[in-house]
Amino acid sequence: MQILGLESLVFGAEDMAAARTYLLDYGLDERDAGPAGGTYEAADGTSVVLRHASDASLPPSNAPSPNLRETIYGVPSQAVLEEIAAELSKDREVRTDTEGTIHAVDDGGFALGFRVTRRRKFELPLLRFNVPGQSPGRGVNECAASKTEIIRPRTLSHVVYFVPDVKKAEAFYKDRLGFRVTDRFIGLGPFMRPAGTLDHHNLFMIQSFNSHMVGMNHFTFHLGSGHEVLHAGWRFAQRGYKSFWGPGRHIMGSNYFWYFNSPFGGTMEFDADMDLHDDAWTPREMLPGADNSQIFLFEAKDKWAPGE
Amino acid sequence: MGPRRIKLGVLADVPEGGAVGLAPSGNDDKVIALKRGDKLFLWENDCPHNHRPLELKRHHFLSPGGAHITCFAHSAHFSPETGLCFAGPCAGQSLTAVPFSVIDGEIWAEI
Ligand code: FES
Ligand SMILES: [Fe+2]
């Protein structure tokens, strides 16, 4: 089943104004904003959709609001959409909306949608690096550090759920939707990718150990590079947003990360440079904890210069 | 010798019904100050869940409408008056109170 990856995350917001400003400050483009909410897009059209938590058109909530209300995946064709609908309707309700998106609920209680992808090709300046021993990435006289650099989130990367039964949740995504396990934190849960992407994970699931570990833990878009994570995160912190964890680089997935507090019920991350895997990859298993959660970790500091 | 006192700010800077961060150190304001009906409350800006600062943005500590202190990492909710977490991952635990006195309109923490 060729699911390509995340297309859209739909949130039920309690503070629409703060959520909107947050997504604009994160670097997403606003579309269709109105009293009901808005759509906030990355360069390829993947998005966050904001609605009021009380919006009756949203799927029911599986966690206290604000929280994620639906995860929508993109597929390459109507044929794949029909394949998914046929598979899921074996044991659950599958609803098709007026735009052709199909909706169901997974085995962990998370609302799911699937639609023929609306991702678009985009062009952003090439990211290039000068590395001794390799041909120069940037042109001569081209400068990399710029206070006016424009950093665009490129595509929706991954979402992380707390699930009541991680084995059952893993089996659902593997057996019913063709996801692959790429790596695993022992006792916590699997990193998974749909068959239509090589990205290390679009979905990470964590076993819930108490009634408060529910709903979404965090989500993120891919930026272009580790540099972009540092620069975008730096600017975000300068606007007053509160760093939760980072900047650093994960081991599983190798993605650079920087997590910030958010108005979405979990944290929102800046992410870049994730590993790619295919079916030749053998999943690793690691014990959870600080040492296996990152290869390094830093914290932002005020700007400084010798003599000041 | 009595407790050591550190000046955190002036009472007039804490809005009635609102909240502000005080005692900046490194990247974070270490103290949350709130005024509720002329009473001042000071809490350590340290969530009992993951021991991280609570706010969404600088001085943005409250839930929409201002009724509760919210941790914007994983949505723990606290009473402004008692510091008790009544919903979220650290439910049943409390924020730590900062002992203080107000002298001539100035807020002094006692440490
Ligand atoms: S750190 Fe505050 S709720 Fe998790
Ligand atoms: Fe992540």
Side-chain angles (χ1 to χ4, degrees):
Chain A
M1 224 171 255
Q2 287 297 109
I3 295 168
L4 297 171
L6 293 173
E7 192 83 4
S8 195
L9 295 173
V10 183
F11 286 92
E14 291 290 339
D15 187 342
M16 187 63 83
R20 172 180 184 269
T21 305
Y22 187 97
L23 295 174
L24 294 175
D25 288 343
Y26 183 93
L28 298 169
D29 277 346
E30 186 171 58
R31 305 252 181 265
D32 312 323
T39 300
Y40 299 83
E41 286 187 353
D44 71 344
T46 55
S47 65
V48 165
V49 172
L50 287 185
R51 293 287 178 263
H52 295 283
S54 58
D55 190 323
S57 70
L58 291 176
S61 192
N62 69 341
S65 72
N67 212 320
L68 177 65
R69 297 292 283 274
E70 187 167 36
T71 302
I72 298 175
Y73 288 93
V75 301
S77 65
Q78 188 63 31
V80 176
L81 206 58
E82 281 160 22
E83 203 187 329
I84 294 169
E87 173 59 37
L88 294 183
S89 50
K90 285 178 187 165
D91 64 348
R92 69 201 68 212
E93 192 194 330
V94 177
R95 186 176 59 80
T96 307
D97 70 20
T98 51
E99 294 185 344
T101 303
I102 63 170
H103 304 270
V105 177
D106 78 3
D107 280 358
F110 285 85
L112 282 183
F114 301 88
R115 72 160 73 109
V116 175
T117 184
R118 299 174 192 164
R119 288 189 200 183
R120 34 172 204 260
K121 285 207 164 25
F122 60 90
E123 270 183 52
L124 289 175
L126 278 178
L127 296 183
R128 300 181 297 181
F129 305 91
N130 292 335
V131 182
Q134 301 182 5
S135 38
R138 284 193 303 283
V140 174
N141 302 323
E142 219 182 291
C143 303
S146 162
K147 287 187 178 175
T148 56
E149 178 179 18
I150 293 167
I151 302 172
R152 298 283 320 277
R154 293 179 175 229
T155 188
L156 194 51
S157 167
H158 60 269
V159 63
V160 178
Y161 298 160
F162 288 117
V163 292
D165 180 342
V166 77
K167 282 210 175 66
K168 193 171 165 204
E170 177 181 328
F172 173 82
Y173 282 95
K174 204 160 49 185
D175 302 341
R176 309 294 300 281
L177 295 173
F179 281 43
R180 315 295 204 253
V181 173
T182 46
D183 280 326
R184 179 188 309 282
F185 270 126
I186 298 162
L188 280 192
F191 294 88
M192 300 187 88
R193 63 173 180 87
T197 179
L198 301 178
D199 253 12
H200 179 270
H201 59 282
N202 282 184
L203 178 65
F204 174 46
M205 293 187 289
I206 304 172
Q207 173 66 49
S208 168
F209 296 112
N210 59 52
S211 60
H212 304 296
M213 294 171 79
V214 288
M216 180 205 70
N217 174 270
H218 77 266
F219 70 104
T220 182
F221 288 80
H222 281 318
L223 305 191
S225 66
H227 163 86
E228 287 194 353
V229 170
L230 297 176
H231 198 184
W234 171 268
R235 288 171 167 173
F236 209 54
Q238 295 300 307
R239 288 181 188 268
Y241 291 106
K242 190 47 66 186
S243 169
F244 174 72
W245 182 20
R249 189 169 201 180
H250 286 308
I251 297 174
M252 300 229 231
S254 299
N255 41 319
Y256 287 88
F257 67 81
W258 197 344
Y259 299 83
F260 285 83
N261 287 0
S262 93
F264 305 114
T267 55
M268 186 171 182
E269 181 188 357
F270 292 95
D271 161 293
D273 201 5
M274 183 179 268
D275 294 332
L276 303 179
H277 295 289
D278 64 13
D279 290 342
W281 172 251
T282 306
R284 298 168 292 185
E285 301 204 329
M286 292 186 200
L287 287 168
D291 194 44
N292 285 336
S293 290
Q294 57 239 303
I295 195 100
F296 50 65
L297 176 65
F298 297 93
E299 213 176 323
K301 264 179 83 73
D302 286 343
K303 285 186 177 180
W304 174 86
E308 281 185 357
Chain B
M1 247 176 38
R4 207 155 69 82
R5 290 209 170 101
I6 296 178
K7 186 179 163 187
L8 296 185
V10 291
L11 195 57
D13 288 346
V14 186
E16 170 58 38
V20 291
L22 298 176
S25 163
N27 293 319
D28 302 324
D29 290 337
K30 296 296 180 194
V31 173
I32 309 167
L34 303 101
K35 223 188 268 166
R36 289 287 182 280
D38 276 355
K39 255 193 108 181
L40 182 69
F41 299 90
L42 296 192
W43 304 105
E44 286 183 20
N45 185 15
D46 178 71
C47 180
H49 177 224
N50 280 164
H51 293 287
R52 295 292 304 151
L54 283 80
E55 67 270 46
L56 175 63
K57 264 177 124 157
R58 193 147 198 226
H59 307 311
H60 187 142
F61 290 96
L62 300 180
S63 59
H68 314 298
I69 301 172
T70 302
C71 178
F72 287 91
H74 313 105
S75 226
H77 283 59
F78 303 85
S79 152
E81 291 90 3
T82 67
L84 179 72
C85 176
F86 62 88
C90 41
Q93 293 175 266
S94 283
L95 296 171
T96 305
V98 177
F100 66 92
S101 5
V102 177
I103 303 165
D104 295 337
E106 295 175 345
I107 306 167
W108 293 79
E110 289 158 16
I111 58 168

